[in-house]
Amino acid sequence: MAAEACGRHAAGWALPLRPPLCLACAVGTLGDGGASLVRKKHALSRLRDALAWQTLPVIRLLALDERVCASLVGALFGMCHTVEDSDAQDQFIEVLVHLVVELKSEQYLRCILDESQKELSKATTMRGSLPIFTLLGKLADAIPVFADILVVKHSNLVDHLPLGLMYPNEGVKAAVCYLYGKLYSSPVGTERLSAHFEEKLCGLFLNTLGHAQTKELQVNCLGLLKELLKSDHFVSILMNNSRTEEESENSDFLEGENPLPLVLKKFLLTRDEMLQAASSHCVAAVLVHSPSRYAPAFIHADVPEFLFECLLCNSEILIWSVYCCLLLLTEERLFFSKCHTVYGIESLVRSLQDVLQLNNVELHKQGLLLFTEILKRQPVEITLFTNRGVCLDAIDVLMKTMDCPVLEVVVGAVKAVAAFLRKDHLSSPPVPYEKLQKLLEAVLKRCADLSPPQSSKKHAGDLLFPVSQSLSRVSQRQGQLLLNTLESFRSACRLAVEYQSDPMAQENAFTAPGSESKETLSNFSEFLLRICDNLCIPMVMNYLERAVSSAVMEVFISALNTLFMVVPNMRIKFSKKLASSSFIRLTLELKARFCSVQSNPALNQACSRFLCNLCLSLYSATEKERISAQEEQEMSELLQKGLPQLNYTVAESLLLLAENPEAFSLDQSLCSHQHCFILLSYFAYTLGDRFVPEAELFLAIRNFLLSAQDRGNCPPPYILRAVLYLLAVCQDKGKGLDSRSLCTIRRILDNLPDLGLVYVHCPLLLEFFLRYPELMGRFGHQVLQLWFSWEDCSQTETEEDGFGLPDQLSSANPLLPILKSNSSILLILLDLVCSSSVEVAQKVLVTLRTFLERSEDVLVCDLLRSRFLQILQQLLVESSSASLQANRNLPILLSLLFLVQLRSKGMRELDSTDFKLLHQVSNLCGKCRPRDTDLLQPSLNFLYWSLHQTTPCSQQRAVAVLLSNVSLLELLQKVMECTWTRSFPSEPAYLLPEDALLCSGWLLAASLLIYQHRYNAEVHQTLTLDLTEVLNAIIFRKKKPILLLVSIMQFLRAVLRQNFSSSLLVIVIQNTAHGATQPQPSSLEDAALHPFAMQQVFSLLVSLQNLLVHVYLQKDLLLSQAVVACLETLLEYLCVKNQDVALHVASQPWHRFLLLTLLSGGQKSVLQPEILRLVTLVSRGGVGCALFCSRMLVQYIWVVYWNLPPAHTRSQILLWFCPSLYLCPIIIVLSSELPFHAVQKLTALTERILFFWCFCSIDLDHLEPLGRRGEAYREHATAVASLGACCGLLESKVLLGITASLPVFGLTDLNFQVRELPVCDPAVCGACEQERECDPTQQKY
């Protein structure tokens, strides 16, 4: 065969191989019947190499002579079925197939087919036909048209193939199946061989498939089956669709017939992953034609069970195939009812855990899709997760997929989350609320991370337009992810609502006693509200800035609607926040844009339900004080009926308000549209969402009222309430109501049984009624009464609300500007005090008090006093004593009268109205009993203030009026006597009403004593008091209120100043009070002090001193001043009665100790006026006491001065230390009575006081703006000047300092005695030589 040795053939047959090959020799050797097999195999090998490396030259040479080519093909075909060596047969077949493919001539194919037919026909055994079947199969595989030629032109060959399947050789069967597979892969072959399959092949094939043992036969059978399953006709034949349903459900029948599902299940039982994958492919190929038709057979054969078992493998192909099969099986209900999903869910979850570790996105998507479908289609009555651990693993799988960078995988995972959040999937206690929270948070955060940040903060209603923005501008995947995320959130909300009726799901039943668990439904529900506010709503609002999808908004609105029921106690707050965030506007715009012309019914229904629930929730929040079940039911029916049809824009809705329903339709649909829009506007406006322009809304509402009046139709109270509120809120933007509109409103309101049915607690509504005289005159009284009745409710509501309501409901302060502009409203308020309940009257009193404090209009007080007089006169005339005491509003009225009296600042001349009021109030007091505290307290305060805040002329007349009222004086005596019988509580935190009444009684009695004595007024009834009881009230002061002690001391001072000689007061001692004879004084001192006894004086003195120390340490200025004043008055009384006793009392050593105790309280103690007054009092005890006080006082003054902060100016120092000159009058008095050596000591002290005064008075420019303090400084400067003149100590520079201050205080008429010293005299200024240096050059000190 070498080209060099061949001389028989031309050189053109030589092929450039190594070694060279003569193609003619190779063909001749193969065709030589006498050549050995070895030579033929060698020639075949060389020819195979030539075809492989020199294909074109070989084909060209063979094409030159068809005989040579046909001879070679015939020789090769002959060798294929004559050679018994299988390896040689494979080589001959391979070369023949390669040669025919390269020749590309149909004649050689026909030649081979003809020869094959001949050989098969004369073959005695099918084993010899194996090479022919193999050759035909490979030719069909290599040449696409070969199968068509075979079945069309040589169909008789096909009749030999079933015989091969019946031959008991799996090699032959495998070759036949392979050839069948190629034939049926052709559409022509499928059509031509359809009858052949049904008549001959089907049974043989199923038998062969069911009994195949070798892998080759198994693979070829599955390959043929896969080709057959592409045709619905063959599938129907294979699945034997003609069986009845009863036969299909009979497992014994299925086993006996050996159907396809059982055969495929057999392959799933093998450990060969390739066969398992092929089997699952075939199952999927059957099911894809009709899952509902063919799935029951596989399900009854328990194929799904083995498919789930196959998931625990490592082959991605097998897992993919199983996912596809199971996904098709989920479309059949029987797949779930046979509990295959319950059996396989654990395998599926574990498979997903493993698959997520792979880098196969398609596998991730297919697995999550299968998981989603199982979760979604699983029947509620069959629990899917019977093992809580598997449920937790499923949550972990879903959590892990949130970190996947591929968006399609995340979308599939979020779909699975939405299907997973079902009560029956999470029925195994305890419910893993914490894991669910983390899962939801991960889902929402992943979706939020894909959204770009918002450009600016907008309201919800501003995000839908312009309409030109469309979903095409946003990624479809992101939109799908948002939709699935919202579906997950909605599923979680529904889950929380379903768990509310399950006691086992409220909290973790396995929580240890006494410990708190976070695994509770309440925590989960609050989490849903919180994450909706923080993530869900901002995410959707961000999406609306870029696009609007009706599907997304339908799920979003539906989720919000479900949230109303998630946390019932937070429903009102949630509703208010939604309404204040313009969600009413957003929902209306969604309906107008997507739901017109009956489109998007799901979105329309969701929006309508949301608005209905939102309005009903806001109604229960704003009307909780008067909520009516019937009214709420009517409103609910109205909203449910009208909202689905309210698909108009705002402008269109405003136009509808003025339409006439009779002209529009006969079913009153327009009327319901009008009412629904009014309610929506009302609730939106109450929460600050003014999505309708105020001016346009005001005009539309006015037209609505006029239209309703014209047709004689009165809207329901809740619609009128909304109408009035909207008119009140929008009135500032409109032109105001004309007379026709006001008349219409009045007629409508007159037809109501109660104005409270339409009242809204809002300052603007109150201003609306009080703004128009037509409304105020008719409804002002009722509106104001409703205002004060609702006030506390609104305050409580505002305090409890966390969503930031507007300041419209803010107590009574909004009424004050209205009162200033229209003072006639005050008369209505006074009528309310008299006619309303005590609670309302008390609120009116607070409002009037605030108004009186801020009002500067004197005419207001005059108006109120006149009205008070009329009310009191009417009450006293029409009421008896018992009815007056039962009138609960009268005390409030009297309190208000006292407030009006307090409003008068300074002295005022009393007019006739004042005297009439004084007379009426005093008469009213005379009709009361001492226990009528609420009536007497403000009345006595009014009488007391009337006596003090008036001119002397009016004061004299007022005293005469009060003293002429015998019943008043009798009551006053009874009130004061209650002091002895009352048991006081231990240290009350505040002054009790009974104690306050006692204080008022004692102070009024003291004032009457003083002014009766001053004006010598006529007395018609005397007051009788036991002196011992009065003294005991002060001496035994335990538990008594401080103000009561002060009042009793004021009374005692008044009595002491009149030396017990008042014609109004009769003083008795304890025995006389019980009818005994007057006791005689036991000593001369007692006789001089009568009715005091010496023992009583000392007891009172010691008690006052102890009280002074006690109250001074507690910094009670009022009581300390009263005690010192009482001590002064007592000493003055003793001086008048007995000088020796007075001196003896003043010189008690206890006074010095008391003074040292008080001065040790701090550096500023010396500045207190009561201490300086006490120093003056102690100084009256003689020379020693005076020197002691002077020395001590000056020492404390200098110590305080040198410890003052540097920032204090001289004027401030002077302001602080002027009280030190209280001592000057004492020194002046004593200097004229002391011996010479005492005068010298006193002179040195006085000089230091004068020097300190001058040192602080160098810069007096700052004293001018000190105001009222100037009068006090004037007195002090006069005292200093008098002291210096008396002692003859004023040196020229000292005189300059004093005289510089005199013009400031208006002192220019004082004379001084001046003694100048030529040089500094150490004897004189020795006391001050440490403070400043002498200046010899100036000849002065």
Side-chain angles (χ1 to χ4, degrees):
M1 290 185 292
E4 296 84 353
C6 181
R8 297 174 297 170
H9 302 97
W13 291 97
L15 296 176
L17 296 177
R18 290 184 181 183
L21 173 65
C22 177
L23 182 60
C25 293
V27 172
T29 303
L30 291 174
D32 185 3
S36 65
L37 181 60
V38 174
R39 290 187 62 193
K40 290 183 179 181
K41 290 176 65 175
H42 177 70
L44 182 65
S45 176
R46 297 289 290 166
L47 181 60
R48 183 178 60 184
D49 293 340
L51 287 174
W53 300 105
Q54 299 290 328
T55 304
L56 289 178
V58 171
I59 297 302
R60 288 174 182 171
L61 289 174
L62 293 177
L64 295 176
D65 191 345
E66 293 184 357
R67 293 178 302 167
V68 175
C69 185
S71 175
L72 178 60
V73 170
L76 291 175
F77 179 78
M79 294 297 296
C80 287
H81 60 84
T82 57
V83 176
E84 296 182 357
D85 188 359
S86 60
D87 293 335
Q89 286 181 352
D90 293 339
Q91 292 181 10
F92 283 114
I93 292 173
E94 179 184 356
V95 172
L96 179 58
V97 170
H98 193 178
L99 178 63
V100 173
V101 169
E102 294 299 336
L103 289 174
K104 299 178 182 180
S105 175
E106 187 176 340
Q107 64 176 344
Y108 303 114
L109 294 177
R110 288 197 298 269
C111 178
I112 293 175
L113 290 173
D114 292 339
E115 293 297 325
S116 298
Q117 173 65 28
K118 293 178 183 179
E119 293 296 328
L120 290 174
S121 298
K122 66 182 181 180
T124 58
T125 176
M126 294 304 298
R127 177 180 293 274
S129 303
L130 176 60
I132 297 175
F133 292 145
T134 304
L135 173 63
L136 295 176
K138 291 188 176 182
L139 286 173
D141 185 27
I143 303 173
V145 298
F146 180 78
D148 297 341
I149 296 173
L150 190 153
V151 297
V152 173
K153 298 181 179 180
H154 298 273
S155 58
N156 51 356
L157 271 176
V158 179
D159 296 334
H160 297 280
L161 297 181
L163 299 176
L165 292 179
M166 292 185 289
Y167 188 74
N169 187 311
E170 293 200 350
V172 176
K173 292 180 181 180
V176 172
C177 287
Y178 186 82
L179 178 57
Y180 265 127
K182 297 304 177 180
L183 295 179
Y184 280 103
S185 65
S186 168
V188 176
T190 302
E191 181 181 358
R192 291 296 184 96
L193 298 179
S194 176
H196 173 79
F197 175 79
E198 186 175 359
E199 295 172 359
K200 300 179 180 182
L201 180 60
C202 181
L204 289 174
F205 171 69
L206 288 176
N207 184 64
T208 304
L209 179 64
H211 296 87
Q213 299 296 324
T214 63
K215 187 174 182 179
E216 180 186 12
L217 178 58
Q218 292 172 343
V219 171
N220 290 347
C221 286
L222 290 175
L224 171 59
L225 178 62
K226 185 177 179 181
E227 295 298 332
L228 292 173
L229 293 178
K230 293 179 181 179
S231 170
D232 186 67
H233 176 65
F234 293 153
V235 171
S236 176
I237 296 173
L238 288 170
M239 294 299 295
N240 197 6
N241 194 41
S242 60
R243 288 198 188 104
T244 62
E245 185 177 355
E246 290 77 8
E247 292 175 341
S248 298
E249 294 179 356
N250 190 339
S251 60
D252 296 334
F253 181 84
L254 292 174
E255 185 68 28
E257 288 295 322
N258 193 21
L260 182 63
L262 295 178
V263 175
L264 294 178
K265 184 176 73 170
K266 178 181 177 182
F267 286 104
L268 292 175
L269 289 172
T270 64
R271 297 292 181 181
D272 194 326
E273 293 183 354
M274 185 183 69
L275 294 178
Q276 290 175 332
S279 177
S280 59
H281 272 296
C282 292
V283 174
V286 174
L287 294 175
V288 77
H289 290 281
S290 177
S292 61
R293 185 177 178 185
Y294 303 121
F298 290 98
I299 294 172
H300 284 297
D302 293 331
V303 172
E305 177 181 343
F306 298 97
L307 288 174
F308 279 115
E309 293 293 338
C310 292
L311 290 176
L312 303 178
C313 67
N314 297 322
S315 172
E316 297 182 20
I317 298 176
L318 176 57
I319 294 175
W320 169 268
S321 302
V322 173
Y323 282 164
C324 294
C325 291
L326 293 174
L327 190 60
L328 291 169
L329 287 172
T330 56
E331 299 183 23
E332 173 57 35
R333 182 187 57 84
L334 193 64
F335 176 67
F336 299 95
S337 62
K338 290 292 185 178
C339 298
H340 289 293
T341 52
V342 179
Y343 174 81
I345 190 63
E346 183 176 0
S347 299
L348 176 59
V349 171
R350 292 182 180 178
S351 172
L352 289 174
Q353 289 177 334
D354 297 335
V355 164
L356 291 176
Q357 306 293 333
L358 306 175
N359 191 20
N360 191 332
V361 175
E362 295 301 323
L363 199 59
H364 298 170
K365 293 163 56 178
Q366 195 73 1
L368 289 172
L369 180 59
L370 171 62
F371 189 39
T372 303
E373 290 301 319
I374 292 177
L375 292 172
K376 187 185 300 182
R377 297 173 183 267
Q378 180 71 18
V380 176
E381 62 274 8
I382 301 176
T383 302
L384 180 62
F385 295 98
T386 56
N387 186 350
R388 187 171 184 269
V390 178
C391 180
L392 298 180
D393 291 340
I395 297 176
D396 293 336
V397 168
L398 296 175
M399 282 279 293
K400 189 174 181 180
T401 54
M402 293 300 108
D403 299 329
C404 181
V406 182
L407 186 58
E408 294 90 338
V409 177
V410 177
V411 171
V414 176
K415 283 184 180 179
V417 172
F420 177 78
L421 294 173
R422 277 172 41 182
K423 182 180 178 181
D424 53 290
H425 293 334
L426 299 165
S427 58
S428 300
V431 181
Y433 287 117
E434 282 196 12
K435 284 210 166 194
L436 294 180
Q437 291 181 21
K438 294 179 180 179
L439 177 61
L440 278 175
E441 190 172 5
V443 170
L444 288 171
K445 285 185 176 179
R446 181 58 194 272
C447 185
D449 292 342
L450 294 176
S451 302
Q454 288 182 256
S455 58
S456 61
K457 189 174 182 180
K458 300 180 180 180
H459 283 286
D462 300 330
L463 300 176
L464 290 182
F465 298 98
V467 184
S468 58
Q469 294 181 345
S470 62
L471 196 60
S472 59
R473 298 179 56 184
V474 184
S475 172
Q476 293 283 347
R477 296 174 184 174
Q478 293 183 2
Q480 186 64 35
L481 176 61
L482 176 61
L483 177 62
N484 296 338
T485 302
L486 293 175
E487 288 178 347
S488 301
F489 181 74
R490 181 175 63 177
S491 300
C493 296
R494 291 175 177 173
L495 180 67
V497 174
E498 292 175 359
Y499 276 144
Q500 291 177 359
S501 58
D502 187 0
M504 295 295 295
Q506 301 296 322
E507 59 183 10
N508 189 349
F510 303 101
T511 305
S515 61
E516 294 185 2
S517 174
K518 296 181 179 179
E519 301 273 354
T520 61
L521 178 60
S522 59
N523 290 341
F524 181 66
S525 301
E526 292 176 2
F527 162 79
L528 291 177
L529 277 181
R530 184 170 60 254
I531 203 169
C532 176
D533 187 31
N534 297 336
L535 282 177
C536 190
I537 293 178
M539 181 174 60
V540 176
M541 296 302 105
N542 187 12
Y543 171 76
L544 289 179
E545 287 187 348
R546 298 172 285 117
V548 183
S549 169
S550 59
V552 170
M553 297 311 298
E554 185 269 326
V555 178
F556 176 60
I557 297 297
S558 177
L560 293 180
N561 191 28
T562 309
L563 273 177
F564 286 124
M565 299 176 288
V566 170
V567 186
N569 58 347
M570 299 279 290
R571 176 177 180 175
I572 292 177
K573 292 184 179 180
F574 179 64
S575 302
K576 290 180 179 179
K577 186 160 189 181
L578 288 178
S580 62
S581 301
S582 303
F583 270 83
I584 294 179
R585 177 193 307 187
L586 170 66
T587 311
L588 288 177
E589 291 179 352
L590 284 174
K591 287 170 62 65
R593 178 174 177 181
F594 293 105
C595 304
S596 59
V597 201
Q598 297 182 350
S599 58
N600 292 309
L603 176 61
N604 188 21
Q605 188 69 20
C607 292
S608 300
R609 289 180 179 178
F610 171 75
L611 289 176
C612 181
N613 289 329
L614 181 62
C615 292
L616 292 177
S617 179
L618 294 176
Y619 168 78
S620 61
T622 57
E623 312 295 338
K624 59 184 177 182
E625 292 296 323
R626 57 177 175 196
I627 189 168
S628 170
Q630 180 181 359
E631 183 175 285
E632 186 175 10
Q633 180 65 26
E634 292 178 1
M635 184 183 299
S636 176
E637 293 177 356
L638 169 67
L639 293 173
Q640 291 176 5
K641 178 182 177 182
L643 285 176
Q645 302 174 8
L646 189 65
N647 301 324
Y648 309 109
T649 63
V650 173
E652 293 171 346
S653 300
L654 289 175
L655 292 176
L656 289 177
L657 287 180
E659 292 289 339
N660 190 343
E662 296 179 355
F664 187 81
S665 63
L666 298 177
D667 58 353
Q668 298 294 317
S669 60
L670 175 62
C671 186
S672 64
H673 295 169
Q674 291 174 337
H675 292 176
C676 288
F677 183 74
I678 290 174
L679 285 176
L680 293 175
S681 302
Y682 165 65
F683 289 121
Y685 265 67
T686 55
L687 276 303
D689 180 17
R690 304 195 173 188
F691 68 95
V692 185
E694 288 93 334
E696 299 178 10
L697 182 61
F698 183 81
L699 182 61
I701 294 295
R702 183 184 68 87
N703 294 335
F704 169 77
L705 284 177
L706 295 177
S707 176
Q709 181 66 23
D710 292 341
R711 62 178 181 265
N713 182 20
C714 182
Y718 55 89
I719 298 298
L720 284 178
R721 187 185 311 132
V723 166
L724 292 176
Y725 176 83
L726 293 175
L727 287 176
V729 172
C730 302
Q731 64 179 345
D732 292 337
K733 302 295 183 180
K735 297 181 180 180
L737 296 176
D738 53 9
S739 58
R740 182 190 173 195
S741 302
L742 292 173
C743 182
T744 300
I745 294 175
R746 181 170 178 175
R747 289 178 182 175
I748 293 176
L749 296 181
D750 283 336
N751 294 328
L752 293 175
D754 182 12
L755 188 63
L757 296 175
V758 298
Y759 174 76
V760 179
H761 191 69
C762 171
L764 295 176
L765 182 65
L766 178 66
E767 183 182 356
F768 175 77
F769 274 96
L770 301 179
R771 179 178 185 176
Y772 300 101
E774 296 87 344
L775 299 180
M776 185 181 73
R778 179 65 182 86
F779 307 105
H781 189 280
Q782 301 178 53
V783 170
L784 285 170
Q785 185 172 11
L786 290 169
W787 167 266
F788 287 105
S789 299
W790 281 64
E791 180 182 356
D792 284 346
C793 298
S794 66
Q795 289 178 354
T796 303
E797 179 182 349
T798 305
E799 292 172 358
E800 294 178 352
D801 192 0
F803 286 94
L805 283 177
D807 295 333
Q808 294 180 352
L809 308 176
S810 58
S811 74
N813 288 333
L815 186 57
L816 297 180
I818 305 176
L819 291 175
K820 290 181 180 180
S821 61
N822 190 356
S823 59
S824 60
I825 304 175
L826 294 172
L827 301 179
I828 302 179
L829 295 181
L830 288 180
D831 292 337
L832 287 178
V833 173
C834 300
S835 60
S836 302
S837 62
V838 179
E839 293 78 8
V840 172
Q842 188 66 39
K843 298 168 190 175
V844 176
L845 176 63
V846 173
T847 301
L848 290 175
R849 176 188 299 167
T850 307
F851 174 72
L852 291 174
E853 290 174 355
R854 299 182 181 183
S855 177
E856 299 179 357
D857 191 0
V858 180
L859 298 177
V860 171
C861 295
D862 296 337
L863 180 64
L864 291 176
R865 274 193 292 268
S866 301
R867 183 57 181 159
F868 280 133
L869 179 59
Q870 297 175 10
I871 295 174
L872 288 176
Q873 287 175 344
Q874 183 178 0
L875 287 175
L876 292 174
V877 170
E878 297 177 356
S879 305
S880 61
S881 299
S883 60
L884 286 176
Q885 295 161 6
N887 192 336
R888 300 183 62 188
N889 289 345
L890 185 56
I892 300 176
L893 187 66
L894 293 172
S895 300
L896 186 57
L897 176 61
F898 177 57
L899 289 178
V900 175
Q901 194 74 2
L902 286 177
R903 178 66 181 81
S904 302
K905 298 180 180 180
M907 299 298 179
R908 186 180 65 86
E909 191 76 26
L910 300 180
D911 56 12
S912 60
T913 302
D914 295 318
F915 282 107
K916 291 178 182 179
L917 282 172
L918 197 64
H919 176 71
Q920 297 295 341
V921 174
S922 61
N923 289 339
L924 177 63
C925 293
K927 293 184 178 184
C928 296
R929 297 164 298 182
R931 63 172 178 267
D932 298 331
T933 307
D934 50 353
L935 285 175
L936 291 177
Q937 176 65 48
S939 301
L940 295 183
N941 288 343
F942 172 76
L943 299 178
Y944 178 82
W945 197 258
S946 299
L947 286 178
H948 285 269
Q949 291 296 108
T950 185
T951 60
C953 180
S954 298
Q955 196 175 62
Q956 184 177 0
R957 294 180 58 192
V959 171
V961 170
L962 296 181
L963 292 179
S964 63
N965 195 326
V966 176
S967 59
L968 173 64
L969 295 177
E970 291 175 351
L971 172 75
L972 196 58
Q973 180 168 340
K974 293 177 183 178
V975 170
M976 291 189 292
E977 288 176 351
C978 290
T979 308
W980 333 132
T981 59
R982 173 166 169 72
S983 58
F984 298 95
S986 57
E987 299 181 0
Y990 54 90
L991 192 63
L992 298 178
E994 294 81 3
D995 300 334
L997 176 60
L998 295 179
C999 296
S1000 300
W1002 283 103
L1003 290 175
L1004 180 60
S1007 300
L1008 290 176
L1009 283 176
I1010 295 172
Y1011 295 135
Q1012 188 276 333
H1013 179 75
R1014 179 180 300 176
Y1015 301 114
N1016 195 19
E1018 182 180 359
V1019 176
H1020 300 276
Q1021 174 70 27
T1022 59
L1023 299 174
T1024 303
L1025 286 180
D1026 189 347
L1027 180 61
T1028 305
E1029 294 289 355
V1030 176
L1031 296 178
N1032 289 341
I1034 300 176
I1035 295 172
F1036 304 104
R1037 62 185 181 275
K1038 187 177 181 181
K1039 298 183 182 180
K1040 287 187 178 66
I1042 291 176
L1043 190 57
L1044 180 58
L1045 288 175
V1046 173
S1047 303
I1048 297 175
M1049 280 188 269
Q1050 286 292 101
F1051 179 81
L1052 182 59
R1053 287 184 63 199
V1055 174
L1056 290 175
R1057 286 180 179 178
Q1058 297 179 22
N1059 297 326
F1060 297 97
S1061 59
S1062 174
S1063 58
L1064 177 61
L1065 181 65
V1066 175
I1067 295 295
V1068 297
I1069 61 175
Q1070 197 168 31
N1071 295 332
T1072 308
H1074 294 82
T1077 59
Q1078 183 75 17
Q1080 298 297 324
S1082 59
S1083 62
L1084 295 177
E1085 289 82 0
D1086 291 345
L1089 300 177
H1090 184 77
F1092 264 134
M1094 195 66 183
Q1095 183 181 0
Q1096 291 177 326
V1097 171
F1098 280 106
S1099 298
L1100 179 61
L1101 181 65
V1102 172
S1103 178
L1104 292 175
Q1105 291 172 340
N1106 293 338
L1107 186 60
L1108 181 61
V1109 174
H1110 176 71
V1111 301
Y1112 187 75
L1113 294 177
Q1114 293 185 351
K1115 307 300 181 182
D1116 196 320
L1117 182 61
L1118 176 64
L1119 186 55
S1120 62
Q1121 290 178 350
V1123 171
V1124 173
C1126 192
L1127 286 172
E1128 289 178 341
T1129 307
L1130 177 61
L1131 192 57
E1132 291 174 0
Y1133 174 78
L1134 295 177
C1135 290
V1136 173
K1137 292 293 185 177
N1138 193 326
Q1139 293 284 343
D1140 295 334
V1141 174
L1143 182 61
H1144 176 68
V1145 170
S1147 60
Q1148 291 294 318
W1150 178 256
H1151 291 311
R1152 299 185 186 184
F1153 179 73
L1154 174 63
L1155 189 59
L1156 287 172
T1157 302
L1158 298 179
L1159 288 175
S1160 64
Q1163 296 179 358
K1164 296 182 181 180
S1165 299
V1166 71
L1167 305 178
Q1168 303 299 329
E1170 59 271 16
I1171 292 183
L1172 297 173
R1173 293 171 65 184
L1174 183 62
V1175 170
T1176 305
L1177 185 64
V1178 175
S1179 300
R1180 297 182 179 183
V1183 177
C1185 292
L1187 291 176
F1188 166 77
C1189 293
S1190 303
R1191 211 176 279 114
M1192 182 177 57
L1193 185 61
V1194 172
Q1195 178 182 356
Y1196 272 95
I1197 289 174
W1198 282 104
V1199 169
V1200 174
Y1201 169 72
W1202 289 114
N1203 286 279
L1204 282 176
H1208 289 79
T1209 62
R1210 289 171 179 164
S1211 59
Q1212 290 173 319
I1213 297 172
L1214 181 63
L1215 174 63
W1216 282 23
F1217 290 102
C1218 281
S1220 65
L1221 298 177
Y1222 273 111
L1223 192 59
C1224 296
I1226 307 170
I1227 300 175
I1228 295 172
V1229 174
L1230 294 178
S1231 62
S1232 60
E1233 302 178 359
L1234 295 179
F1236 181 73
H1237 67 279
V1239 172
Q1240 284 183 333
K1241 294 180 180 180
L1242 187 59
T1243 300
L1245 292 173
T1246 307
E1247 184 180 23
R1248 297 188 68 178
I1249 294 175
L1250 295 175
F1251 170 74
F1252 180 75
W1253 167 263
C1254 297
F1255 182 74
C1256 297
S1257 304
I1258 293 175
D1259 185 7
L1260 297 175
D1261 295 337
H1262 298 82
L1263 293 178
E1264 186 65 26
L1266 295 177
R1268 295 183 178 180
R1269 298 292 182 115
E1271 185 65 25
Y1273 299 150
R1274 182 179 185 276
E1275 296 177 1
H1276 298 327
T1278 305
V1280 172
S1282 302
L1283 178 61
C1286 177
C1287 298
L1289 296 175
L1290 287 180
E1291 190 262 337
S1292 58
K1293 194 166 186 178
V1294 178
L1295 179 62
L1296 292 175
I1298 295 177
T1299 55
S1301 64
L1302 297 182
V1304 178
F1305 307 121
L1307 301 178
T1308 56
D1309 54 348
L1310 297 179
N1311 298 320
F1312 301 98
Q1313 297 177 4
V1314 181
R1315 176 171 61 87
E1316 294 191 9
L1317 301 179
V1319 293
C1320 180
D1321 187 354
V1324 177
C1325 70
C1328 64
E1329 59 187 359
Q1330 299 298 326
E1331 283 78 8
R1332 60 180 298 179
E1333 298 179 355
C1334 300
D1335 188 359
T1337 60
Q1338 297 293 331
Q1339 303 295 317
K1340 299 174 182 178
Y1341 72 95

